[in-house]
Structure formats: structure tokens, C-alpha cells
Amino acid sequence: MIGPVVQCVDATKRFGEVMAIDRVSFVLAPGEILSVLGPSGCGKTTLLRTIAGFETLERGEIRIQERLVSSPAVHVPPERRQVGMVFQDYSLFPHLTVVQNVRFGLERLSRQDRQHRVAEVLDLARLMGLEDRYPHELSGGQQQRVALARTLAPRPVTVLLDEPFSNVDATMRAEMRLEVEQILRENQVTTVLVTHNREEAFAIADRIAVMRDGALDQIDTPEVLFNAPSTRFVARMTGISDFLPGRAGSDGRVLTELGDLPYRAGDSEIAAGSAVDLLVHADDFQVLVDPYGRSAVAAREFRGDEVLLAVRVPSGDTIRCRQHHGSTLPTGTNVTLVPTRVEPFLAFAREVSSDE
Amino acid sequence: MLWLPATLIALAMVAPLAYLVIRGAGASEETWSLLFRARTAELLWRSVVLMATVTTVSVALGVPLAWLTVRSDIPLRRFWSVVAVLPLVVPSYVGALVVVSALGPTGLLRDILDGPLGVQRLPEIYGLSGTTLTLALLNYPLVLLIVKGALNGLDPALGDSARSLGVSPAVAVLRVTLPQLKPAIASGSLLVALYTLSDFGAVSLLGYETFTWAIYQQYQTSFDRSVASSLSLVLVAVAATVLVLEARSRGRARYYRTGPGAARPPAVVPLGRWRWPAVALCAAVGLAAVAGPVAVLGYWVGQGIAAGEREMLLWGELWNSVLISGAAALVTAACSVPIAALAVRYPSPISQLVERLSFTGYALPGVVVALSLVFVGVNVVRPVYQTGWMLLFAYVVLFLPVALGATRSAMMQASPGLEEAARGLGRTPLQTLLTVIVPQMRSGMLVGVALVFLVAIKELPATLILGPLGFQTLATAVWSASSEAFYARASAPALMLVLVSSIPMAALVWRGERLRA
């Protein structure tokens, strides 16, 4: 039985007054790909840098293959952790060719082993033929594959990817994501990938950790995160989420301006009679044209494969609804929203002074 | 609009060199045979050796000091980073004066040691070692400044990458940081090497005979000036070789970040137990190159006053220095505008050529420019010969590259996008120039003006050769008094020179620190 590859327990790090990472705990199994999803500045990169050993830990501990590498008392330097990191801008050494870059971390191998490993890694990253190019002579995708090859070459225990696709234009992103995922899966690389892009996290990860202000709100599979977010923040990060205010009844239903809707409790117990917000996803309501409807289309966004309508409900809130790409409802159309969701809606207690 | 002035200026910059070449081509057999004597080879060898030693020592001082003041947690980092560039205000001949008057056979140190200790002999300061030390201590900031710029622009993630690939911090510096700094070290070395080749004051006072010294001697003593001009051509050829070698050293590798995205600010490296040795290094250099010289000059001025020497304050010379250097700074900066504008806004092979030609003075030692202008003055433009205009022109030829560098980078910052935005908002081209471009370039242009003022006020050989009769500047006053070993009389203008140079220097340092903050 192989133990966990990375273990974080209560990892905490402050920059002055700012909590960069706040009691972060998770366990990473061999071959698993974990995405850390959060807005910029939430501490994702600091978490990676702490695991890699570029930042020290104030509280808690980090173990790699059960060896303690970071704690307030222990700090194993990055070069002795066997953790590979692919930096956001790849950080290829501009004065070295592709081969020299890939060979950089293999100095300790014998000449023969080194050549063998370099060839192997170049092959798996499909870089054959580019050996003698300098980084600036490569395309963005090629640069990224070199960075990945260089990181994989010394056979690290785990690989950390910092916003790997943020520098790639949108048209290339899906393709590169597939390539990278394929390389990681084929080699069963245990990976932590940091991103602020929901699609990216969902596409590549076995599990997703949602991070807010340095702390992990929830860590689970993409499906669970989407269907059962533990906080409003997670709901916002993982889907097109709106909140519909209402009052909980005693019969498992919430009275809202769009009708009497079934609910189950989200982040805390819901007392009958208390004010709640229901989490509404973009496909929870059907939009019906209705000249006497009390809601109206406030804005429409054509997204190619679908149309996203923002519908203003009587109270002035907006609920976003996904439509077939052939939908031609113009803004201003009066409509009625009809619930189509089979399962109960997730209800979050209304907090008085919350920003959420 | 731009082409005419830019081309005219560029051609004017090449004129002295062109004239020398024409003269050299027309030189008699006799002259050429004079040139191929053992003596010439010896001068060549001595010049090249000095260039190599000064450059090596400058790199050895400049690179560690740059790293310490940018990346380390050395105590008083800002203070040291200012101190480290201050040697630039001390002209080489003042440095030599200090060395001779403090450490020489009739100098201060011997006076001190002779009394109680009876020490009669001190280590020899004349010749290669003394000259090397003097020039390196005063010129290493050229390496330091460029390396500092490179260090600031260096992506710290590269060092992190190296470490996550299993390489220790010290090895990461060797395998990643130093190779990244190579082009900066090379261009810093180029500046030092070219300066050393052109230095006249220090080599003359410290008795190390190089090309510049020989050319000046020839010019002074012989009526046949074609020997001097042939020697000059050899000197220019050496400078050109150095330039080519530096350009060759670049190759295909790139030395800056390839990826897009914002770099993290560089991490500060803790020095640990190397803290105090590092402070000691900074302090030693600061003492030897700045505090020491000022103290020695102060001492001699005090001696002079005690001995009843009058006219210690040379107001006339001060005024001449400030006037001619100020004029040179303004004219040079103005000349740099059309050339930089052409090169930045209308890049083409021809505008590039115009820019390259304007850099001619970069490789021309002051002695050479002065000499060729003497020929031009005597033979072609008699009326301006031995007037301030001729000297002013020499300064422009010599220092246009300095101003061009500053103006060019100022112009690169004034992005064409902003110009277009202003036009789009209804401003005319002229209004755009005045309200958008000039305000953006002002601060960069001032850097150019300050730099030219700084180098012009220190300039010696061209000032000696081209200055109008009776036109004394602080530089020539220091020169004439120290070549006759009147230390007290030389020290007063030397001290004034250092103080006046400190004004533009302070402005530059203040601006640099403000930009960093």
C-alpha cells in the first residue's frame, strides 16, 4: 500500500498582517491531480511555493512521501525536496537550448543515464527535432512542453503547476490543456495545479480545492463541488450561480417571488421562518415568453453554443438562465420563470453583514 | 522633418575621424615607417595590458558590489548603493594626483612614516599597478551601474526554477544568474576598456606611457603632426577591435525573460555570516575611491592656506568649467533628439545607420578628436580655430553617445500609443508634442544633460588641446599644477571639481533611488 504523496496539515503562512495561507489541510494520493481554484491574490501561488520550499511555514506541517519537509522548526530547501515546479511564465533558462534546459536537473546522473533520460523526456513531451532551439525560438505551447519536460526529467515525486495556461491565448488553451493532461496521466504524475479558471480546474482535475483568503473552503470532486457547494463562495467559483431570496417554511419549502420551491440546507441548519437565499444555477429555470410576466430579459450574451439571459425578477435581482443557441428573445421581453429543477434547491442562511 | 538635422549631425560626428583617415592615407612613406617601429608595438602592448588589467579589476569590484546593493540584505543597503557610484565624480587625473601626492616618493604617507619610523621607501606607485588601481577604482561604477540594471531586470523565478530542479543556491548563481549577467558585464567592460584606452590624465601623471600619452607628446613637441595622426589611427583601430569583440560575444542565446507575465520582485538574499565582510568590502572601496581622495585633497588645501598660498578659490576657472560643460550638455542633448526620434519612431536600415554614425565618438579618445579638430581648424575653418566653439564641438562629438542613450530610452517610454490617443482626442501634432511627449521625456532628457555635464567637466585632453589661449578650466588648472607637482595648488581646483560634479551626480542618484522606490 502506497501512502499519500503530499500531506498538508494546518499549513499557515503570513506576510506581515496578511494571511497568505490559513490552516490549509489536504492529502494527495499517488497519481492524483488536484486543482486549487481561487481568485487572484487568494494565496494559491503561495501555497505552491510553500510546498516547493520557497516559503517557510509558520504553523502546521507539510510532508512529502511521509517525510516532514516543512514545519515551524523544519525547512528542507527546495533543491532537496524532489518537488518539481512549472512556473507561470515557464522560466526557461534563456541562455540554454532545449536540451540544455531539460538536462539542467540531471547533473547527478552518469553521462549515459542522462542522455537516455533526456531522450525519453523529450519524446514524451513531443519535443524531438527542437533540441537545439533556444526558448525564444519556440512557440508558447512548445515552451510549456519544454518546461514540463524539464520538470519531469529528474523524476520528481510530485509536480506543481502555477497557472499553466494563463499565458496562452484562449484558442490554444483547450488543446494545450489536453496535451498537458495526457502527459501527466500517462506518467501517473501526482500533480497540484493552481488556477483561477473554473473550466480549467474542472477539465483536468480529479479533485478541486476552492481557496478563499488563504483558506480552503471545500475540497472534493468537481461534481460534488458543483452540486453541493459548502459555501456561497464555492458556488460562485464553480458555476454560474445566482441567489434567490426567500423565507423558509416548515414543510421543506421556501417561499420566493418565483414560487414555493423545495430546499435542503446548504452550509448550516435552516430554522423554519428564517430568511434564506436559494442557490440557482443557469439551467434551473425555464424562460417562458409571457406578455403578462412580471420578469423581463435584462441582457443577453451570445456565447456561441448557447445564449445566457439575465432575467430581472420583480424584486430587481437578476437570475441568469441558459438558453438554446437558437434563442432569439430580445432584451425587454416580458417572461415568466418556471422551475425545472428536480432536486431540492440548496439554501444558505441569510447573513446580516456578510459580503457573500 | 527629422531626416535633415539628424543626418547633418551624424555626418558632423564622423567628420573628425574621416579627416584623420584622409590625412593618414596621404601620409608619407617616412611617417609609416616611423609607425612600424618597435616603439609603436610597445605602446600598443602597454595600452592593451592596461586595458585588460583595469577592466578585470573593475569587473571584480563592480559585479559583487552590484549584487550586494541589489539582492542582499547588507546593512545600510541604500547608503552603500549611493557610495558605490560616487567615484564617478572623481576625474582620473584627480585620482592620480591623490595617489601621487599621498603615496608617492614625496607624498603625505612618506612624510608621516618618515618621522617616527624612518621609513624611506614605499611601494612603487608609478607604472602599471598604480595606474590600474587608480583607473579601476574610479571606473568600476560603469560596470556596477549596468550590472545593477540587469540584476533588477532579472527574473527571480529562474533562480527558483534551478533550485526546484535540485540545484543549491550557490550553484544556481553560477549556472543561471552569472550567465544571465554576461551581456551586462560585457557592456560594462566595454565602457571601462574604451575609457581606459582614451584616458590621458592618469596615465600621464602616473608615468605609464600609453598611446594617448605618446600622441600628446608628439603633438606638443613635433611640427610634423602626421605621426601623431597615424598613431591616432592605430588607437582608433584598437578601440574598434574592442567594440567588435564585444559585439561578437553575444551569440544566439537570449538573456532576458522569454515568457510574458509579471515577474515577482527579486528576493533578498540573506548574507548570514558574510554580512560583515560584505560591509568591509563596501567600506574599503568607499574609503579608497571617495573619502580618501577628498580627505587628501582637503589636507593639501589646508597646507596651502597655512603656507599663505593665495587665490585658492579659482572663480574664473570654475565659471569657465561650468559654462563650457553646461553649454556642451544642452547642445549635446538637443542634438540627440532628432537622431533618437528617427531611430525610435522610424526604424529602417538608414535611420539605424544615422544612429550608428552618431556613436562614433564612443570609440574616439579625446586626444584623437582634439587632434583631428586641430587639423580641421588650421586647414579648413580657420576663424573658429582656438575658439570656444571648436571645444564645444569636440565635446558634442565625444559625448553625443552618452546623451543618445538617455534620450533614446526616454523616447521609448513615450509610447506612440499615447501620441495617437492625444491625436484621437483632438490635439494637433504640435500640441501633442508639447502636452504629451515633452512631459514624458523631460525626466529622461535631464538624465542625459546631467550625464554629459558630468563627463564634460572632467574632460582633460581635448580641453588642453582645443581650449582658446588663456582659457583655463578647473580641469586644466589641476593638470598644469599637478604635472609640476604643486600639490596644494592642484588640490584646490581638484576639490572644487569634485564638488561641482557632485551636483549632477546627486540629481542622478536621487532620481535613480526614487524610481526604485
Side-chain angles (χ1 to χ4, degrees):
Chain A
M1 179 72 201
I2 312 165
V5 177
V6 180
Q7 276 172 287
C8 264
V9 181
D10 262 350
T12 300
K13 165 89 188 169
R14 236 186 313 233
F15 288 127
E17 291 296 292
V18 184
M19 271 294 186
I21 53 174
D22 186 5
R23 286 164 295 167
V24 169
S25 299
F26 66 86
V27 173
L28 206 55
E32 191 179 13
I33 299 183
L34 174 75
S35 277
V36 179
L37 175 65
S40 51
C42 76
K44 310 180 296 275
T45 299
T46 305
L47 176 61
L48 278 201
R49 292 177 59 81
T50 313
I51 300 172
F54 295 115
E55 310 286 351
T56 55
L57 211 51
E58 241 160 73
R59 249 182 58 188
E61 57 177 53
I62 298 175
R63 287 172 186 273
I64 293 183
Q65 285 191 330
E66 293 178 353
R67 176 170 75 124
L68 181 65
V69 292
S70 284
S71 77
V74 176
H75 182 80
V76 176
E79 62 269 23
R80 277 192 251 130
R81 290 192 175 205
Q82 288 184 278
V83 170
M85 181 149 172
V86 177
F87 291 80
Q88 184 169 7
D89 48 15
Y90 317 142
S91 290
L92 297 178
F93 303 120
H95 61 296
L96 301 180
T97 61
V98 169
V99 166
Q100 290 167 333
N101 263 286
V102 172
R103 201 161 50 200
F104 193 93
L106 299 176
E107 292 297 304
R108 275 180 219 116
L109 296 186
S110 74
R111 206 184 142 73
Q112 229 176 357
D113 291 350
R114 194 158 63 210
Q115 273 175 353
H116 182 71
R117 181 62 182 156
V118 167
E120 198 173 68
V121 175
L122 286 178
D123 184 46
L124 82 88
R126 291 192 302 294
L127 291 163
M128 301 311 257
L130 301 174
E131 289 88 343
D132 295 324
R133 300 266 190 98
Y134 280 97
H136 67 271
E137 298 168 334
L138 300 174
S139 73
Q142 290 167 336
Q143 287 185 14
Q144 186 175 50
R145 295 209 301 275
V146 175
L148 196 56
R150 183 180 70 177
T151 305
L152 291 176
R155 300 183 195 279
V157 171
T158 177
V159 167
L160 314 175
L161 302 171
D162 187 7
E163 298 273 6
F165 309 106
S166 65
N167 290 325
V168 186
D169 48 289
T171 49
M172 293 281 298
R173 212 170 279 168
E175 190 184 328
M176 282 177 55
R177 205 160 59 203
L178 266 172
E179 278 179 350
V180 169
E181 190 186 357
Q182 204 178 343
I183 295 172
L184 295 174
R185 294 277 181 212
E186 275 170 15
N187 295 276
Q188 295 179 341
V189 182
T190 311
T191 305
V192 182
L193 177 148
V194 146
T195 179
H196 64 268
N197 182 317
R198 172 177 59 221
E199 271 179 59
E200 220 163 275
F202 272 71
I204 223 168
D206 297 315
R207 285 190 301 156
I208 296 175
V210 178
M211 195 166 191
R212 169 170 55 154
D213 298 335
L216 295 189
D217 265 23
Q218 191 174 6
I219 171 166
D220 220 315
T221 61
E223 293 77 9
V224 172
L225 285 189
F226 185 80
N227 291 315
S230 67
T231 64
R232 293 160 189 251
F233 180 78
V234 173
R236 287 220 177 87
M237 287 306 295
T238 54
I240 299 171
S241 305
D242 293 305
F243 292 94
L244 184 65
R247 194 162 291 278
S250 52
D251 53 353
R253 299 181 82 83
V254 169
L255 186 61
T256 72
E257 56 184 313
L258 297 179
D260 206 14
L261 302 170
Y263 84 92
R264 63 186 170 86
D267 57 350
S268 58
E269 293 296 310
I270 305 287
S274 63
V276 298
D277 289 320
L278 293 186
L279 167 62
V280 176
H281 282 138
D283 41 15
D284 287 346
F285 283 92
Q286 196 183 356
V287 182
L288 291 182
V289 180
D290 174 2
Y292 302 104
R294 289 162 62 223
S295 303
V297 176
R300 47 179 288 134
E301 182 189 341
F302 182 65
R303 300 174 139 207
D305 45 1
E306 65 184 29
V307 174
L308 195 64
L309 296 182
V311 177
R312 177 144 302 147
V313 294
S315 62
D317 290 337
T318 48
I319 300 287
R320 284 166 296 176
C321 297
R322 187 172 285 131
Q323 294 287 99
H324 183 258
H325 63 84
S327 161
T328 53
L329 287 186
T331 54
T333 312
N334 282 8
V335 295
T336 294
L337 293 184
V338 178
T340 51
R341 187 182 169 93
V342 183
E343 316 90 72
F345 287 84
L346 217 53
F348 294 91
R350 177 96 47 86
E351 290 157 39
V352 186
S353 62
S354 171
D355 55 340
E356 293 302 327
Chain B
M1 255 281 289
L2 281 174
W3 284 100
L4 187 65
T7 314
L8 285 180
I9 293 166
L11 288 178
M13 296 304 109
V14 195
L17 180 61
Y19 195 80
L20 263 189
V21 172
I22 294 166
R23 288 280 298 216
S28 59
E29 295 264 323
E30 204 181 340
T31 311
W32 284 109
S33 63
L34 267 173
L35 201 61
F36 289 110
R37 291 176 309 170
R39 174 79 179 134
T40 311
E42 192 195 328
L43 285 175
L44 186 63
W45 172 244
R46 295 170 71 89
S47 294
V48 170
V49 167
L50 183 68
M51 193 163 72
T53 54
V54 172
T55 308
T56 311
V57 178
S58 298
V59 169
L61 286 174
V63 175
L65 286 178
W67 188 84
L68 284 174
T69 52
V70 173
R71 295 293 297 273
S72 82
D73 66 343
I74 191 169
L76 303 174
R77 193 181 57 80
R78 286 203 146 185
F79 172 74
W80 296 121
S81 103
V82 171
V83 167
V85 296
L86 282 184
L88 284 180
V89 302
V90 182
S92 75
Y93 46 89
V94 170
L97 164 69
V98 167
V99 169
V100 171
S101 70
L103 311 175
T106 62
L108 191 55
L109 188 62
R110 191 182 157 278
D111 283 355
I112 297 170
L113 296 180
D114 194 17
L117 302 170
V119 175
Q120 294 279 343
R121 281 183 58 84
L122 286 170
E124 180 69 44
I125 49 117
Y126 292 99
L128 181 63
S129 52
T131 314
T132 299
L133 214 61
T134 309
L135 286 178
L137 271 175
L138 300 181
N139 285 297
Y140 79 83
L142 298 173
V143 177
L144 173 113
L145 285 172
I146 295 181
V147 171
K148 264 176 91 161
L151 273 173
N152 277 321
L154 205 63
D155 185 358
L158 290 177
D160 288 350
S161 291
R163 295 194 61 195
S164 74
L165 290 167
V167 158
S168 74
V171 176
V173 167
L174 285 182
R175 286 182 61 194
V176 176
T177 312
L178 269 184
Q180 290 293 302
L181 293 179
K182 217 171 74 182
I185 295 173
S187 31
S189 303
L190 177 70
L191 287 181
V192 173
L194 288 177
Y195 177 78
T196 306
L197 211 52
S198 75
D199 181 70
F200 165 72
V203 295
S204 306
L205 289 179
L206 289 168
Y208 187 80
E209 295 169 9
T210 60
F211 260 104
T212 50
W213 177 86
I215 293 167
Y216 186 70
Q217 292 303 316
Q218 279 292 339
Y219 164 76
Q220 285 257 299
T221 54
S222 131
F223 283 106
D224 179 13
R225 283 169 178 168
S226 51
V227 176
S229 70
S230 317
L231 282 175
S232 298
L233 277 177
V234 179
L235 183 52
V236 171
V238 175
T241 313
V242 173
L243 272 170
V244 169
L245 285 180
E246 194 265 347
R248 281 276 175 82
S249 76
R250 290 176 188 229
R252 207 167 112 238
R254 285 276 177 97
Y255 293 96
Y256 43 81
R257 299 159 36 77
T258 46
R264 244 161 212 279
V268 168
V269 180
L271 289 173
R273 61 203 159 96
W274 292 100
R275 239 166 121 83
W276 298 111
V279 170
L281 173 70
C282 291
V285 172
L287 269 178
V290 186
V294 171
V296 170
L297 294 176
Y299 168 83
W300 288 115
V301 171
Q303 289 291 95
I305 291 170
E309 181 102 28
R310 280 177 207 169
E311 293 178 24
M312 291 293 277
L313 285 171
L314 307 172
W315 292 115
E317 282 81 348
L318 174 65
W319 170 242
N320 285 345
S321 277
V322 171
L323 183 71
I324 191 84
S325 317
L330 293 177
V331 173
T332 311
C335 286
S336 70
V337 172
I339 295 167
L342 198 64
V344 172
R345 287 297 143 80
Y346 306 98
S348 75
I350 302 176
S351 65
Q352 234 174 42
L353 179 70
V354 168
E355 197 195 10
R356 292 257 169 86
L357 290 181
S358 315
F359 270 96
T360 314
Y362 191 45
L364 291 183
V367 169
V368 173
V369 170
L371 203 67
S372 71
L373 288 184
V374 167
F375 296 142
V376 175
V378 171
N379 297 322
V380 187
V381 283
R382 199 77 210 208
V384 295
Y385 181 52
Q386 291 209 320
T387 65
W389 299 110
M390 201 75 167
L391 182 55
L392 188 61
F393 179 67
Y395 283 166
V396 175
V397 172
L398 286 171
F399 305 133
L400 185 63
V402 174
L404 256 179
T407 309
R408 203 177 195 291
S409 50
M411 198 148 309
M412 305 264 267
Q413 276 165 6
S415 84
L418 287 175
E419 263 167 65
E420 283 158 10
R423 297 292 302 281
L425 291 168
R427 298 284 168 98
T428 65
L430 186 66
Q431 285 172 328
T432 307
L433 180 76
L434 294 178
T435 59
V436 178
I437 305 175
V438 169
Q440 281 190 88
M441 285 184 52
R442 198 167 46 201
S443 141
M445 294 282 299
L446 280 178
V447 171
V449 170
L451 279 173
V452 174
F453 184 85
L454 187 63
V455 286
I457 204 164
K458 300 195 303 187
E459 208 288 333
L460 180 63
T463 320
L464 273 179
I465 296 173
L466 292 174
L469 275 177
F471 180 83
Q472 284 270 329
T473 65
L474 292 174
T476 59
V478 175
W479 168 255
S480 53
S482 36
S483 50
E484 290 161 39
F486 291 130
Y487 300 148
R489 208 182 290 163
S491 294
L495 203 53
M496 289 167 82
L497 194 52
V498 169
L499 292 177
V500 177
S501 314
S502 302
I503 298 168
M505 193 66 191
L508 290 171
V509 167
W510 181 74
R511 179 178 185 273
E513 289 295 311
R514 201 184 41 158
L515 282 184
R516 275 177 60 90

